């Protein structure tokens, strides 16, 4: 091994050796990440100024892609859908995750079993659970329509909820909450378990009720965990594709919109690149706002 | 805390637990139930099938499918010819059998397994050295690299899908089977590498340096200490990271759907299931059975690492 030979040369001091070894060990990982994430980001910017042709060369068309994308009302519709989707899924997963974590932090029979069963939605592949959800909301066979129409009479007829855009987005949000809450629950639970029990005892001696204890002890302890969960959830769900696309083609969030633009029909990859860049800039703006205003870093 | 709870409080608490549990597992019960039902039973809201139907599973696992989908005349021929050998019979069936309706579950399964296992193995192997470098060695530029890896978390698949696709097309990778497989493998490696680096790095920091130091005083080199001390001590973390990477690759849909367009034979389970769903052979019991069999391996793997997972996640290395 040449690396070992280099390291064994006597004219290097300990620090130099460590430095060479450090770089050598991280190099494969760094090279892969650099060439397959950072380079594509730059290449994406480049492509967004071209009419991209898969077979032959690309034609430079200046800002045309951006013009086409930004003055298209469907684009602004999908921005709106994305914001609604991200907003409600983030709140939903976090709040429900917190409730579940608080419940699982108490003693009850078969807690170990319940604790692992609750993780199933997070673990199972999207592709496998998505069909169960489609079946539940199926207009003919699904149990949802059976309850909502036959038993409760909320709707005047059986209809395809997932096929109707204004309802489909709520099904997609519910699905995402179901799929994502175990993550929030796990993170919050591990923080809850680290809270010193004597704090609660002291508060009880002072006569604090349950709500007062939650406000004064629990909430401050989990505040930062919740802050990071929300940040991660915003980033993930802003770019979410498979959970939405596989459930319904009718909820056109930005990721789905870009996919349709670039890989179906006329395969407008240049416009797709422009969209991806705009989406990325929106995400960065979102994050900066959140970090400044909410996390106050 | 529990002592001043009234009966009503307790009942409310158990109700909450039941609601949480039901919400979490209901779709799985629905999946299992539908996979075992006959078509005439689908509209029945009861989760217990009126009559158990194992046909969907048999079809997927290719049990007792030998004489199905065979034209009737051929079936008669086989049954009415007394001195036909087994080999001859098989050959005749293979020739006349209508395979257009068959869902190649095993092929999808094998493709997914191969891709996910290789990607996870590579990811973990590269990450062991990278994470060691990031957690143990002092050098200029280390924190920049670390921050860069964090930064990568922000790039969901769709943001770099187009440039990556164009890059692999330009390099001619997507015109051959081997190239297509390799490009998808590389992409899964990249997607899992940041997680692996992060989780392993955090774990290595919890191992006391004095053990390594002792070994080095004894004359062991750095590679030897990594191999003989760090790796055995971190086995639980390494397995966790492996399973996590495996799951990311096993579940991936977006890149597979774009990259595997040209080669049907390479398609993975998520693509196969989606194809089945939109095809003329889409029958709920089949889809649910296939869904069950896609989910079960992952769930079993997850159960095996579950006790390590919470720690690994809260250590900061998680990606969806």
């Amino acid at each position: 091994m040449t690396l070992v030979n280099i390291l064994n040369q006597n004219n290097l001091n300990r620090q130099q050796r460590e430095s060479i070894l450090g770089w050598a060990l991280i190099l494969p990982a760094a090279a892969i990440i650099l060439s397959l994430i950072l380079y594509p980001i730059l290449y994406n910017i480049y492509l967004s100024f071209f009419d991209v042709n898969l077979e032959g060369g690309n034609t430079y068309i200046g800002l045309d892609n951006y013009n086409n994308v930004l003055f298209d009302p469907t684009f602004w519709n999908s921005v709106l859908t994305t914001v609604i989707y991200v907003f409600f899924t983030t709140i939903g997963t976090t709040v429900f995750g917190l409730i579940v974590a608080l419940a699982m932090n108490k003693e009850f029979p078969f807690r170990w079993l319940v604790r692992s069963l609750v993780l199933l939605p997070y673990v199972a592949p999207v592709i496998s659970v998505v069909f169960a959800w489609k079946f539940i909301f199926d207009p003919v066979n699904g149990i949802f329509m059976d309850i909502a129409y036959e038993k409760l009479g909320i709707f005047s007829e059986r209809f395809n909820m997932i096929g109707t855009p204004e309802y489909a987005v709520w099904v997609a949000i519910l699905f995402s909450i179901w799929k994502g809450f175990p993550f929030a629950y796990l993170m919050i639970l591990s923080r809850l378990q680290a809270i010193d029990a004597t704090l609660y005892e002291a508060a009880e001696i002072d006569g604090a009720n349950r709500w007062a204890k939650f406000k004064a002890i629990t909430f401050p302890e989990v505040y930062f965990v919740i802050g990071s969960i929300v940040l991660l959830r915003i980033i993930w769900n802003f770019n979410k594709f498979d959970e939405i696309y596989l459930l319904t083609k009718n909820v056109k969030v930005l990721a789905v919109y870009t996919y349709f633009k670039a890989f179906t029909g006329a395969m407008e990859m240049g416009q797709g690149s422009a969209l991806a860049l705009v989406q990325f800039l929106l995400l960065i703006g979102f994050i900066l706002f959140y970090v400044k205003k909410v996390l106050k870093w | 805390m529990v002592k001043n709870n009234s009966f009503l409080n307790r009942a409310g608490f158990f109700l909450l637990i039941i609601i949480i549990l039901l919400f979490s597992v209901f779709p799985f019960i629905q999946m299992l139930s539908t996979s075992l039902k006959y078509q005439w039973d689908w509209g029945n809201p009861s989760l217990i099938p009126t009559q158990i139907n194992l046909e969907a599973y048999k079809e997927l696992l290719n049990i007792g499918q030998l004489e199905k989908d065979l034209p009737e005349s051929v079936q008669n021929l086989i049954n009415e010819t007394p001195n036909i050998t087994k080999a001859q019979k098989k050959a005749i069936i293979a020739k006349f059998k209508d395979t257009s309706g068959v869902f190649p579950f095993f092929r999808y399964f094998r493709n997914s397994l191969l891709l996910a296992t290789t990607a996870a193995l590579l990811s973990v192997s590269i990450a062991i050295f990278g994470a060691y470098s990031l957690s143990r060695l002092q050098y200029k530029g280390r924190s920049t690299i670390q921050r860069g890896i964090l930064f990568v978390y922000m790039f969901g698949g769709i943001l770099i899908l187009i440039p990556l696709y164009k890059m692999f097309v330009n390099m001619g990778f997507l015109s051959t089977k081997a190239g297509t497989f390799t490009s998808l493998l590389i992409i899964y490696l990249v997607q899992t590498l940041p997680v692996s680096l992060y989780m392993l790095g955090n774990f290595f920091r919890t191992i006391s340096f004095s053990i390594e130091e002792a070994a080095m005083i004894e004359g062991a080199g750095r590679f030897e200490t990594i191999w003989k001390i760090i790796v055995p001590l971190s086995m639980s973390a390494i397995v966790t990271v492996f399973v996590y990477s495996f799951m990311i690759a096993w579940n991936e849909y977006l890149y597979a759907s774009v990259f595997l367009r040209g080669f049907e034979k390479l398609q993975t389970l998520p693509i196969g299931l989606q194809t089945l769903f939109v095809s003329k052979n889409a029958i709920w019991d089949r889809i649910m059975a296939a869904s069950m069999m896609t989910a079960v391996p992952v769930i079993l793997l997850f159960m095996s690492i579950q006790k390590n997972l919470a720690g690994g996640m809260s250590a900061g290395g998680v990606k969806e």
Side-chain angles (χ1 to χ4, degrees), chain A residues 18 21-23 36 41 43 52-53 116 122 125 128 131 134-135 178 210 233 239-240 259 263 280, chain B residues 9 23-24 30 133 138 140 154-156 166 170 186 222 244 251 257-258 261 277 288 291 306 320:
Chain A
E18 197 161 303
L21 185 69
W23 274 101
L36 288 157
I41 293 169
Y43 188 46
V52 178
N53 191 339
S116 25
Y122 180 67
S128 65
F131 296 118
K134 281 189 183 198
F135 186 82
W178 177 78
R210 218 183 295 172
R233 186 51 64 193
N239 296 329
K240 189 67 82 192
Y259 182 81
F263 293 101
F280 175 63
Chain B
N9 258 332
F23 180 64
S24 310
Q30 180 76 69
S133 163
Q138 299 288 336
K140 239 187 173 164
M154 269 196 262
F155 296 96
K166 187 88 173 97
N170 287 351
I186 295 172
R222 282 280 187 181
Y244 212 82
N251 298 347
S257 83
V258 172
R261 278 179 180 189
F277 186 74
M288 294 299 180
S291 297
Q306 203 198 330
E320 277 200 333

Side-chain angles (χ1 to χ4, degrees), chain A residues 7-295:
Chain A
L7 291 172
N8 286 341
Q9 279 168 8
N10 289 329
N11 53 359
L12 293 172
N13 63 27
R14 200 194 126 98
Q15 207 183 352
Q16 280 169 317
R17 266 186 223 175
E18 197 161 303
S19 184
I20 292 172
L21 185 69
W23 274 101
L25 292 184
I26 194 69
L27 201 66
I32 290 170
I33 290 174
L34 213 64
S35 58
L36 288 157
I37 293 183
L38 285 182
Y39 175 72
I41 293 169
L42 299 176
Y43 188 46
N44 184 67
I45 298 175
Y46 168 87
L47 284 179
S48 71
F49 295 108
F50 285 83
D51 183 17
V52 178
N53 191 339
L54 260 190
E55 309 300 324
N58 307 327
T59 327
Y60 179 77
I61 51 168
L63 289 172
D64 275 10
N65 284 330
Y66 290 93
N67 263 334
N68 285 332
V69 164
L70 294 176
F71 290 102
D72 185 352
T74 22
F75 165 75
W76 293 104
N77 259 330
S78 75
V79 172
L80 183 68
T81 314
T82 310
V83 170
I84 291 174
Y85 179 80
V86 172
F87 182 78
F88 285 101
T89 52
T90 305
I91 291 190
T93 47
T94 314
V95 171
F96 192 59
L98 176 65
I99 292 171
V100 176
L102 290 171
M104 296 299 149
N105 200 28
K106 290 192 176 176
E107 292 281 349
F108 59 88
F110 295 106
R111 184 171 72 164
W112 58 274
L113 183 64
V114 177
R115 273 187 179 176
S116 25
L117 285 177
V118 158
L119 294 177
L120 284 181
Y122 180 67
V123 179
V126 180
I127 188 74
S128 65
V129 289
V130 84
F131 296 118
W133 276 75
K134 281 189 183 198
F135 186 82
I136 290 171
F137 288 96
D138 184 78
V140 183
N141 302 311
I143 193 159
F144 181 80
M145 274 299 154
D146 186 73
I147 292 174
Y149 166 71
E150 303 274 346
K151 307 263 157 61
L152 300 176
I154 300 172
F155 301 114
S156 59
E157 56 176 344
R158 283 173 179 264
F159 69 103
N160 186 356
M161 247 191 141
I162 290 179
T164 325
E166 61 274 33
Y167 289 110
V169 65
W170 298 104
V171 179
I173 287 169
L174 188 66
F175 178 58
S176 178
I177 292 172
W178 177 78
K179 195 96 187 57
F181 87 85
F183 174 74
Y185 142 71
L186 259 189
M187 303 285 277
I188 297 171
L189 182 66
S190 63
R191 187 74 203 83
L192 284 178
Q193 286 169 334
I195 299 177
D196 190 355
T198 54
L199 286 175
Y200 290 108
E201 282 161 23
E204 261 167 61
I205 293 167
D206 288 343
N209 64 17
R210 218 183 295 172
W211 174 241
K213 279 189 288 187
F214 177 79
K215 229 172 66 178
I217 304 168
T218 315
F219 192 71
E221 290 275 354
V222 295
Y223 182 80
F224 279 102
V225 166
I226 289 180
S228 358
I229 293 171
V230 168
L231 183 61
L232 282 173
R233 186 51 64 193
I234 290 174
I235 295 173
W236 287 337
N237 281 8
F238 203 86
N239 296 329
K240 189 67 82 192
F241 173 81
D242 51 357
E243 277 177 24
I244 303 159
Y245 176 82
L246 292 175
L247 184 71
T248 162
K249 309 260 189 300
N250 293 307
V251 178
K252 294 221 170 50
V253 292
L254 278 169
V256 176
Y257 183 60
T258 308
Y259 182 81
F260 275 120
K261 259 258 147 50
F263 293 101
T264 56
M267 297 197 43
E268 295 282 0
M269 294 216 170
Q271 287 190 33
S273 305
L275 272 170
L277 190 65
V278 170
Q279 187 182 344
F280 175 63
L281 293 177
L282 282 174
L283 177 61
I284 297 266
F286 227 49
I287 291 168
L288 287 180
F289 174 81
Y290 177 79
V291 168
K292 274 242 162 70
K293 295 283 162 191
V294 182
L295 292 184

Side-chain angles (χ1 to χ4, degrees), chain B residues 26 31 35 40 47 76 79 88 96 109 167 169 181 297 308:
Chain B
F26 182 77
M31 200 195 294
S35 75
W40 47 264
L47 289 169
N76 289 340
N79 295 335
Q88 279 173 319
F96 288 101
F109 194 91
M167 276 162 65
V169 168
F181 185 84
N308 307 326

